[in-house]
Amino acid sequence: MYKYERAVALSRSKINVDKQKTEPKPFLTDIKTLRERARKNIAGGGVTFTYHGDVKKTIEILQSVLATEIVCVLRYTMHAVAAQGISSEWVKAEFAQHAKEETEHMNQVAERINQLGGKPDFNPTGLATRAASEYGTADNLVEMIKENLIAERIAVDHYRELIRYFGEDDPGTRTMLQHILVVEEEHANDMHDLLVAHQGRPMLP
Ligand SMILES: [Fe+2]
Ligand SMILES: [Fe+2]
């Protein structure tokens, strides 16, 4: 039995080595061609020959991400002002910190749309329907925390999917979303901890 397993492992490692030998390396463009291409179509800015995404579709997706971030800025800002009750001060400070970070995301996404040749859509008309997250209706501290936790969980799921969608076609947009995702995961965790602190038990099993 042992001999058999060893033989299988050996043959598997041989297959891997053979595969490495036969698989072609990724293609690298020579410097002369790179320079020539960069000089052509300079109106494209950062969208160059090697951009494999669909620029129009990317801008459309990012307008929805922008709306999501704007709604998050508005919700956290409102909560930071409106939160009331015992021990609300440090919760308000947390909401205000999140509002600041959502503003940074909003600006990063708007910049990216601009880089791709689009015009960031800050129009308040239709904002709520363009966004994945919701503005909310909470009127007490615990409800506010819950709303924010749900909104963060929506953002986390949405951005994870988008990161997979962009993959290698648009590494610039993907990397930006990866950085934002890490912060959204922290936000979700912060809201979950606040909820535990105020309710004495986790909402999630
Ligand atoms: Fe955000
Ligand atoms: Fe967030």
Side-chain angles (χ1 to χ4, degrees):
M1 190 66 181
Y2 172 74
K3 265 189 186 169
Y4 170 76
E5 281 169 357
R6 201 156 168 260
V8 169
L10 273 172
S11 76
R12 274 199 190 130
S13 70
K14 191 175 175 306
I15 288 165
N16 282 340
V17 170
D18 290 346
K19 218 172 144 199
Q20 277 167 14
K21 277 185 198 158
T22 51
E23 265 180 17
K25 285 251 181 219
F27 179 74
L28 288 176
T29 310
D30 64 275
I31 303 245
K32 188 169 167 278
T33 313
L34 277 176
R35 287 178 180 169
E36 278 169 7
R37 270 194 215 144
R39 286 195 177 87
K40 279 183 203 161
N41 305 319
I42 54 172
V47 182
T48 61
F49 184 82
T50 54
Y51 184 91
H52 290 167
D54 175 342
V55 184
K56 205 167 153 254
K57 180 81 184 155
T58 302
I59 291 170
E60 201 180 291
I61 290 169
L62 289 181
Q63 298 289 18
S64 156
V65 174
L66 177 64
T68 301
E69 294 295 341
I70 297 171
V71 168
C72 288
V73 172
L74 295 175
R75 193 189 54 255
Y76 273 122
T77 306
M78 188 267 283
H79 286 178
V81 173
Q84 284 179 340
I86 301 165
S87 72
S88 71
E89 281 313 308
W90 58 283
V91 179
K92 281 162 94 91
E94 193 74 27
F95 288 164
Q97 177 62 28
H98 283 202
K100 192 169 153 267
E101 285 163 356
E102 305 297 7
T103 309
E104 287 166 12
H105 298 164
M106 179 189 80
N107 289 330
Q108 285 167 20
V109 176
E111 284 289 345
R112 185 67 188 159
I113 292 170
N114 185 56
Q115 280 170 12
L116 293 170
K119 189 176 161 204
D121 189 355
F122 280 91
N123 192 338
T125 308
L127 178 68
T129 47
R130 293 199 301 277
S133 59
E134 290 167 309
Y135 180 70
T137 53
D139 55 6
N140 67 62
L141 200 62
V142 170
E143 285 305 311
M144 285 176 187
I145 299 169
K146 272 187 193 169
E147 270 185 356
N148 288 320
L149 175 56
I150 291 165
E152 295 296 353
R153 286 166 57 80
I154 291 171
V156 164
D157 263 352
H158 190 35
Y159 295 168
R160 263 197 216 124
E161 278 186 359
L162 289 180
I163 287 162
R164 285 189 204 116
Y165 171 83
F166 286 115
E168 290 308 310
D169 289 345
D170 185 343
T173 300
R174 188 199 67 218
T175 307
M176 177 194 70
L177 288 170
Q178 281 171 329
H179 286 128
I180 295 178
L181 172 67
V182 172
V183 180
E184 307 300 11
E185 285 175 339
E186 273 174 29
H187 286 176
N189 196 47
D190 291 344
M191 288 302 116
H192 181 257
D193 289 353
L194 278 183
L195 200 60
V196 174
H198 282 265
Q199 290 200 322
R201 62 186 163 81
M203 183 176 77
L204 309 171

